Amino acid sequence: MTAVPLPYRVVANRPESTDTRTIELRPAGEALPAFAPGQFAMLYAFGAGEIPVSVAGLRDGTLTHTIRGVGAVSRALCAVRPGTQVGVRGPFGTGWDLPSAAGRDLLVVAGGIGLAPLRPLVQAAASAHNRLNVLIGARTPEDLLYRDELDGWGRPYCGVTVDRAGPGWTGHVGVVTTLLDRAAFTPHETTAFICGPEIMIRATARELLHRGVPAQHIRVSLERNMHCATGHCGHCQLGPLLLCRDGPVVGYDHAEPLLAVREL
Amino acid sequence: MPSATAPPDAGSTACVLDPEGIGALVRELRARGRTVIGPTERDGAIVLAELESADELPYGWGVELEGGYYRIKRRTDAAAFAHSAGPQSWKNFLHPERVRQWTADRAPDGGMTVRAERPEPTSFAFLGVRPCDLRAIQIQDRVMTGGRHRDDAYEERRTGAFLIVVECTEPGATCFCVSMGTGPAAQPGYDLALTEVVDGTGHRFLARAGTEEGADILAGLPRRPADDLTRTRAREDVEAAAGRMGRTMPEVDLRALLAGTLEAERWNDVAARCLTCGNCTMACPTCFCTTTEDVTDLTGDHAERWRRWESCYDLDFTHLPGGSVRSSGRSRYRQWLTHKLGTWWDQFDSSGCVGCGRCIVWCPVAIDITEEAHALHQESLDRQAGPKDETP
Amino acid sequence: MKRTGVLAALPEGPRERLMELGREVSFPAGTRIFEEGQRADRFWIIRTGTVNLDVHVPGRQAAVVETIGADGLVGWSWLCPPHQWHLGAEAARPVDAWEFDAAEVLALCERDPALDHALLTYVVEVIGHRLRSSRTRLLDLYGPYRSGSAE
């Protein structure tokens, strides 16, 4: 019964930045089926409501979610105390589908909180033999997620750029696509995984197409309003797609014409 | 797939019921523990409600329909099913407007217990399902139970429901089931099918069973073998109905038409008229969209999840943290129409429109889905023909 | 080694004629390459290292607005009036670059329409990219959402 949440116990809640926290959940009783990188869960904060949140980590049967407190429910989820419980439904949606990129160069491009759904992909890809490039854009150095982990991420390349540098920032300043010149990939043999604000997705995908990455090998994770996650409520439609079912990860060959239509 | 004008099943199981037989049918269904829902005249409309007896059927009532217009009127005969779609549809019972999905309680230690709502088993019998509405039920079946995730509560209500289709012999001015391939003849999926015949020989119903349970029930009713005259009249009346549709859709691939007209001028035209009230979505027998409401009691330790109908015309329907995706009325009307006629195919492998005409009747400004489809078709033809000659 | 930037943008002939004017230069990390308001009479193409473009804000450290890496063009203000730098530039990491004298390049372009056209196209492309990037950042995509938003 995918409409009813299962109780999960909060085992950790740590800050990532001023408004973003990472929580770790373990089943209080019965466990949900295994999640794949790119899929999402519906997280229910008692009494506040439920929102879709991608999985940001999958190790050891623990569900990890990175949540930005921008509304009533997400703020409630950011405030959960270890030991208490939240409701979880899932897994829902399409994943990044790393196996289908076997033998290809990997290009992971993240903007802002969009790094969260890509984290389990990067972790899974670390054991693959592909060239793995990780390009990360953040608003400011303080907004950068998973700062302590990034060192080991890219092989051969992991780059971070910020929109606004502060004192002490010695890294790159500029949009995330400017890092593409530093990544090592052969465009037509590359699979790209992009998550971030839709404008960032479009700009990045356009640049990759220009460089010769095939549209069907550009996978983007899209966001729309979601209530049921089971394909029954109609909210997450994007033209022919029900994003809870046919997404959130969609090939850019499908996504491009849809994203081009205003207010679709 | 039978054609829209296929004759009623003339097999050996066909028989004839008098109006008394319909009374016996309702009694038998109730005796079997079923809640019988059917049309009845109430407050100036033919509504769907629980029937305690067949006497409550709207004998002698017809309807006058037009864009934004619905009136019941007395007929010169006593036909019970000579009316077309009313303000409700069977989704009001199978996919109710508001349902509780689960309840949860929070313990002092922060633990949580969640209980799925188990609705009391209801065993419906729907009397007077029009062929277009039978298709609408089947379309909602696909949405609610045809995918990876099934709606258990819907499935329970649906699989327990006994469907008595009554073929259409009196289409309304807003009907276009022939264009959508859903009527006026009954297509498979019913337990019982009836065709009402009123002529000099009397008032009677040609009946046949579509399932074993249907045959079993029919066998217990006062009936007589189907005679040739009744068979012929029934067939002719349904065929005649097919020729009296008040509306048509353009005879093109509607899915392709809608996919190719997302930026049509016509959307601006209809947006200037549409109030985005959502009446069409409420009246539509296939519109299924819902939203969720999470509520708590005063203690804050008991919570409930409710699901209620929602309309894609609501501004909040596409809410994201930065605002609504479909903020203009134009985009919201376009979403409804392109979904109904076009992208429904991509999502659920059928059209979302059955041609019942409810959206036309219950639109306060008489927007007509068929007129809009014809206009989009014309605009795409004009565009293909190239720019108009600028010279006067 | 793949060629990007100006080396990839120019056809072989004009590229070779341009490169004859280039001088190899090096800047240790922290070197101020130019300052806002100074006369813009040169430009650089980075071979290795990175250069930060920055704005001087009173009371604050220089605000870095853009980082330029290998094969990137540093400076285009030499191309049009008032021929003054709009930003400052500093070597963020040790830089090896080719330095070009603007007057020499402009004189060569006068005689070499093919180079003139290709170089101008390249510089417009660079400016266009930086304009698009700036506009994207102007939107503050990763920033806090509008206040009062619900879920």
Side-chain angles (χ1 to χ4, degrees):
Chain A
M1 179 77 180
T2 43
V4 180
L6 291 183
Y8 269 57
R9 195 162 40 84
V10 180
V11 294
N13 181 345
R14 58 177 178 271
E16 291 287 348
S17 69
T18 47
D19 60 358
T20 303
R21 300 186 72 89
T22 292
I23 62 173
E24 290 180 2
L25 308 172
R26 292 190 62 82
E30 190 189 341
L32 293 166
F35 284 67
Q39 289 192 302
F40 68 95
M42 295 298 291
L43 298 187
Y44 171 71
F46 193 92
E50 193 183 41
I51 52 169
V53 185
S54 292
V55 285
L58 290 165
R59 285 179 174 167
D60 315 320
T62 300
L63 279 181
T64 301
H65 294 281
T66 298
I67 301 161
R68 186 172 195 187
V70 293
V73 182
S74 55
R75 278 194 286 267
L77 286 167
C78 283
V80 291
R81 291 193 317 277
T84 62
Q85 293 180 4
V86 299
V88 187
R89 297 193 290 131
F92 296 120
T94 54
W96 293 112
D97 193 13
L98 181 62
S100 71
R104 303 178 65 83
D105 291 340
L106 306 180
L107 190 60
V108 171
V109 189
I113 190 85
L115 183 56
L118 289 164
R119 180 173 175 257
L121 173 77
V122 171
Q123 290 172 341
S127 57
H129 296 292
N130 318 49
R131 284 200 286 184
L132 171 63
N133 299 277
V134 183
L135 282 54
I136 299 166
R139 184 173 182 242
T140 69
E142 291 72 36
D143 292 309
L144 186 59
L145 306 178
Y146 316 128
R147 260 167 281 181
D148 302 337
E149 303 175 25
L150 299 179
D151 279 350
W153 273 20
R155 180 182 31 78
Y157 178 71
C158 179
V160 175
T161 181
V162 298
D163 277 357
R164 297 177 196 181
W169 175 253
T170 57
H172 201 94
V173 181
V175 293
V176 72
T177 46
T178 57
L179 298 178
L180 284 170
D181 284 335
R182 304 174 168 212
F185 61 101
T186 306
H188 66 275
E189 289 168 9
T190 293
T191 299
F193 305 90
I194 312 175
C195 188
E198 200 165 296
I199 298 170
M200 169 268 178
I201 288 176
R202 293 204 306 260
T204 306
R206 196 179 300 137
E207 178 69 27
L208 293 179
L209 289 174
H210 177 65
R211 289 171 185 244
V213 180
Q216 71 271 24
H217 290 295
I218 300 175
R219 309 237 174 94
V220 301
S221 183
L222 302 176
E223 182 189 15
R224 286 292 182 273
N225 187 303
M226 243 172 232
H227 284 260
C228 73
T230 54
H232 301 145
C233 82
H235 283 263
C236 64
Q237 289 179 67
L238 175 64
L241 307 179
L242 288 166
L243 281 182
C244 72
R245 180 189 79 178
D246 308 316
V249 179
V250 179
Y252 202 64
D253 48 339
H254 292 294
E256 185 179 23
L258 303 175
L259 298 182
V261 181
R262 278 173 193 234
E263 296 191 76
L264 192 66
Chain B
M1 183 72 104
S3 78
T5 53
D9 173 12
S12 56
T13 57
C15 61
V16 172
L17 303 178
D18 289 329
E20 295 75 38
I22 302 297
L25 171 62
V26 172
R27 281 194 299 278
E28 174 62 19
L29 291 166
R30 287 173 60 83
R32 292 184 180 216
R34 291 188 176 275
T35 302
V36 180
I37 310 290
T40 190
E41 187 273 323
R42 185 178 294 170
D43 301 330
I46 308 294
V47 300
L48 299 175
E50 180 173 357
L51 302 181
E52 290 183 5
S53 99
D55 296 342
E56 295 167 74
L57 288 169
Y59 286 108
W61 285 107
V63 291
E64 275 179 8
L65 305 179
E66 252 314 324
Y69 182 92
Y70 180 100
R71 297 287 185 277
I72 56 171
K73 62 165 192 205
R74 274 287 171 196
R75 293 175 58 84
T76 55
D77 64 25
F81 298 100
H83 50 85
S84 44
Q88 300 149 297
S89 67
W90 306 99
K91 80 173 179 182
N92 295 60
F93 302 92
L94 293 175
H95 183 38
E97 200 170 342
R98 196 159 181 270
V99 293
R100 188 165 61 188
Q101 294 188 290
W102 46 262
T103 58
D105 288 286
R106 181 165 58 183
D109 66 355
M112 187 189 297
T113 315
V114 188
R115 277 176 306 278
E117 186 77 3
R118 279 279 132 216
E120 284 185 24
T122 307
S123 175
F124 285 122
F126 294 158
L127 172 58
V129 179
R130 297 350 280 252
C132 60
D133 280 351
L134 175 62
R135 179 67 66 84
I137 291 169
Q138 293 166 334
I139 288 172
Q140 282 213 330
D141 287 349
R142 283 203 177 191
V143 174
M144 304 307 287
T145 62
R148 199 182 325 152
H149 306 288
R150 305 165 79 85
D151 183 314
D152 298 343
Y154 175 93
E155 190 160 27
E156 199 165 301
R157 288 186 290 269
R158 174 64 178 91
T159 50
F162 185 87
L163 305 184
I164 304 159
V165 165
V166 179
E167 294 189 300
C168 225
T169 52
E170 199 68 63
T174 51
C175 286
F176 54 102
C177 66
V178 169
S179 287
M180 303 317 294
T182 65
Q187 295 179 22
Y190 55 80
D191 292 287
L192 284 179
L194 306 175
T195 316
E196 187 172 31
V197 176
V198 189
D199 61 10
T201 315
H203 185 184
R204 59 207 186 274
F205 299 84
L206 182 70
R208 57 269 182 218
T211 58
E212 277 183 28
E213 189 183 3
D216 185 51
I217 286 185
L218 209 51
L221 302 179
R223 70 196 198 285
R224 58 180 186 273
D227 56 281
D228 286 345
L229 177 62
T230 303
R231 286 178 196 274
T232 306
R233 278 303 308 269
R235 188 180 68 240
E236 287 174 355
D237 286 357
V238 173
E239 281 173 357
R244 288 190 289 131
M245 292 289 131
R247 298 286 199 276
T248 62
M249 276 289 182
E251 290 183 9
V252 296
D253 180 344
L254 292 171
R255 178 190 189 178
L257 173 66
L258 274 297
T261 49
L262 288 173
E263 303 291 2
E265 270 302 309
R266 184 68 185 186
W267 301 118
N268 295 321
D269 185 284
V270 67
R273 290 173 278 134
C274 176
L275 308 177
T276 66
C277 68
N279 267 15
C280 49
T281 58
M282 300 293 118
C284 176
T286 67
C287 272
F288 59 85
C289 289
T290 54
T291 188
T292 48
E293 291 172 341
D294 286 302
V295 296
T296 48
D297 68 2
L298 285 173
T299 67
D301 291 327
H302 176 77
E304 301 189 342
R305 158 69 50 83
W306 288 79
R307 184 181 73 185
R308 66 167 172 78
W309 288 357
E310 163 100 316
S311 171
C312 55
Y313 286 93
D314 291 350
L315 187 56
D316 270 355
F317 191 82
T318 54
H319 179 86
L320 285 178
S324 288
V325 175
R326 292 192 281 271
S327 55
S328 70
R330 172 186 186 271
S331 68
R332 301 208 288 283
Y333 185 85
R334 183 181 67 183
Q335 164 61 25
W336 182 72
L337 193 67
T338 53
H339 187 217
K340 193 65 47 184
L341 298 178
T343 53
W344 205 295
W345 283 99
D346 301 281
Q347 294 168 5
F348 305 110
D349 205 23
S350 79
S351 171
C353 177
V354 297
C356 71
R358 285 183 179 88
C359 56
I360 306 172
V361 172
W362 299 99
C363 176
V365 294
I367 292 171
D368 180 340
I369 187 174
T370 65
E371 183 188 346
E372 297 312 316
H374 280 286
L376 287 168
H377 176 49
Q378 190 58 50
E379 185 175 334
S380 76
L381 288 180
D382 292 348
R383 193 158 296 179
Q384 282 162 25
K388 287 205 179 83
D389 193 350
E390 299 284 332
T391 55
Chain C
M1 186 69 192
K2 69 176 177 175
R3 281 178 161 169
T4 59
V6 70
L7 302 178
L10 299 187
E12 196 179 339
R15 181 173 66 229
E16 281 168 0
R17 291 194 289 280
L18 176 68
M19 293 312 291
E20 281 171 19
L21 299 181
R23 290 182 296 277
E24 290 186 23
V25 293
S26 297
F27 302 110
T31 309
R32 298 296 296 176
I33 302 172
F34 55 76
E35 296 291 349
E36 180 181 339
Q38 287 177 345
R39 182 166 174 73
D41 54 4
R42 276 168 289 176
F43 66 92
W44 298 263
I45 294 167
I46 301 176
R47 298 164 64 199
T48 61
T50 54
V51 171
N52 280 340
L53 301 181
D54 55 27
V55 188
H56 176 65
V57 184
R60 270 172 58 178
Q61 265 194 335
V64 178
V65 296
E66 184 99 49
T67 308
I68 304 172
D71 298 321
L73 171 71
V74 177
W76 52 266
S77 298
W78 52 274
L79 195 58
C80 44
H83 304 289
Q84 282 178 303
W85 300 120
H86 298 276
L87 300 168
E90 178 174 317
R93 294 187 198 162
V95 169
D96 289 324
W98 281 290
E99 183 179 277
F100 296 86
D101 181 279
E104 288 177 19
V105 171
L106 288 170
L108 177 60
C109 286
E110 286 274 321
R111 304 190 300 272
D112 190 340
L115 171 65
D116 188 37
H117 180 262
L119 187 61
L120 193 62
T121 302
Y122 164 69
V123 174
V124 168
E125 206 175 286
V126 169
I127 295 172
H129 185 261
R130 291 186 193 162
L131 178 62
R132 283 195 301 278
S133 301
S134 302
R135 285 171 170 166
T136 303
R137 287 156 65 192
L138 188 62
L139 291 169
D140 198 12
L141 294 177
Y142 313 139
Y145 293 114
R146 271 185 260 170
S147 59
S149 69
E151 272 152 354

mmCIF file of all heavy atoms in Angstrom, chain B residues 319-323, chain C residues 145-146 149-151:
data_model
loop_
_atom_site.group_PDB
_atom_site.id
_atom_site.type_symbol
_atom_site.label_atom_id
_atom_site.label_comp_id
_atom_site.label_asym_id
_atom_site.label_seq_id
_atom_site.Cartn_x
_atom_site.Cartn_y
_atom_site.Cartn_z
ATOM 1 N N HIS B 319 1.651 24.633 -7.865
ATOM 2 C CA HIS B 319 2.492 25.440 -6.983
ATOM 3 C C HIS B 319 3.881 24.816 -6.784
ATOM 4 O O HIS B 319 4.014 23.638 -6.532
ATOM 5 C CB HIS B 319 1.807 25.574 -5.621
ATOM 6 C CG HIS B 319 2.597 26.366 -4.643
ATOM 7 N ND1 HIS B 319 2.523 27.731 -4.585
ATOM 8 C CD2 HIS B 319 3.529 25.994 -3.743
ATOM 9 C CE1 HIS B 319 3.359 28.155 -3.661
ATOM 10 N NE2 HIS B 319 3.979 27.124 -3.138
ATOM 11 N N LEU B 320 4.886 25.659 -6.926
ATOM 12 C CA LEU B 320 6.253 25.300 -6.553
ATOM 13 C C LEU B 320 6.733 26.391 -5.606
ATOM 14 O O LEU B 320 6.123 27.458 -5.545
ATOM 15 C CB LEU B 320 7.152 25.239 -7.795
ATOM 16 C CG LEU B 320 6.984 24.019 -8.707
ATOM 17 C CD1 LEU B 320 7.903 24.120 -9.911
ATOM 18 C CD2 LEU B 320 7.258 22.742 -7.941
ATOM 19 N N PRO B 321 7.817 26.143 -4.884
ATOM 20 C CA PRO B 321 8.256 27.174 -3.938
ATOM 21 C C PRO B 321 8.399 28.567 -4.563
ATOM 22 O O PRO B 321 8.173 29.563 -3.903
ATOM 23 C CB PRO B 321 9.595 26.628 -3.461
ATOM 24 C CG PRO B 321 9.431 25.151 -3.518
ATOM 25 C CD PRO B 321 8.588 24.903 -4.749
ATOM 26 N N GLY B 322 8.731 28.633 -5.848
ATOM 27 C CA GLY B 322 8.880 29.945 -6.468
ATOM 28 C C GLY B 322 7.606 30.538 -7.037
ATOM 29 O O GLY B 322 7.591 31.672 -7.497
ATOM 30 N N GLY B 323 6.496 29.792 -7.029
ATOM 31 C CA GLY B 323 5.257 30.277 -7.618
ATOM 32 C C GLY B 323 4.586 29.163 -8.411
ATOM 33 O O GLY B 323 5.056 28.033 -8.428
ATOM 34 N N TYR C 145 14.002 31.080 -1.668
ATOM 35 C CA TYR C 145 12.801 31.326 -2.443
ATOM 36 C C TYR C 145 12.081 32.541 -1.886
ATOM 37 O O TYR C 145 12.360 33.015 -0.808
ATOM 38 C CB TYR C 145 11.889 30.107 -2.414
ATOM 39 C CG TYR C 145 12.479 28.936 -3.115
ATOM 40 C CD1 TYR C 145 12.820 27.798 -2.398
ATOM 41 C CD2 TYR C 145 12.728 28.971 -4.468
ATOM 42 C CE1 TYR C 145 13.378 26.715 -3.026
ATOM 43 C CE2 TYR C 145 13.284 27.877 -5.104
ATOM 44 C CZ TYR C 145 13.613 26.758 -4.381
ATOM 45 O OH TYR C 145 14.159 25.689 -5.016
ATOM 46 N N ARG C 146 11.112 33.003 -2.675
ATOM 47 C CA ARG C 146 10.324 34.143 -2.237
ATOM 48 C C ARG C 146 9.767 33.886 -0.842
ATOM 49 O O ARG C 146 9.307 32.795 -0.551
ATOM 50 C CB ARG C 146 9.161 34.384 -3.195
ATOM 51 C CG ARG C 146 9.520 35.300 -4.345
ATOM 52 C CD ARG C 146 8.297 35.561 -5.142
ATOM 53 N NE ARG C 146 8.284 34.724 -6.332
ATOM 54 C CZ ARG C 146 7.238 34.597 -7.127
ATOM 55 N NH1 ARG C 146 6.122 35.214 -6.856
ATOM 56 N NH2 ARG C 146 7.291 33.852 -8.198
ATOM 57 N N SER C 149 6.429 31.568 0.861
ATOM 58 C CA SER C 149 6.027 30.467 -0.006
ATOM 59 C C SER C 149 5.561 29.293 0.831
ATOM 60 O O SER C 149 6.070 29.040 1.912
ATOM 61 C CB SER C 149 7.186 30.053 -0.900
ATOM 62 O OG SER C 149 8.189 29.457 -0.123
ATOM 63 N N ALA C 150 4.545 28.626 0.309
ATOM 64 C CA ALA C 150 4.049 27.427 0.971
ATOM 65 C C ALA C 150 4.493 26.217 0.173
ATOM 66 O O ALA C 150 5.103 26.342 -0.875
ATOM 67 C CB ALA C 150 2.535 27.468 1.066
ATOM 68 N N GLU C 151 4.169 25.031 0.665
ATOM 69 C CA GLU C 151 4.565 23.831 -0.079
ATOM 70 C C GLU C 151 3.356 23.143 -0.645
ATOM 71 O O GLU C 151 2.309 23.122 -0.095
ATOM 72 C CB GLU C 151 5.314 22.873 0.837
ATOM 73 C CG GLU C 151 6.788 23.207 0.841
ATOM 74 C CD GLU C 151 7.458 22.813 2.134
ATOM 75 O OE1 GLU C 151 6.760 22.388 3.051
ATOM 76 O OE2 GLU C 151 8.666 22.977 2.216
#
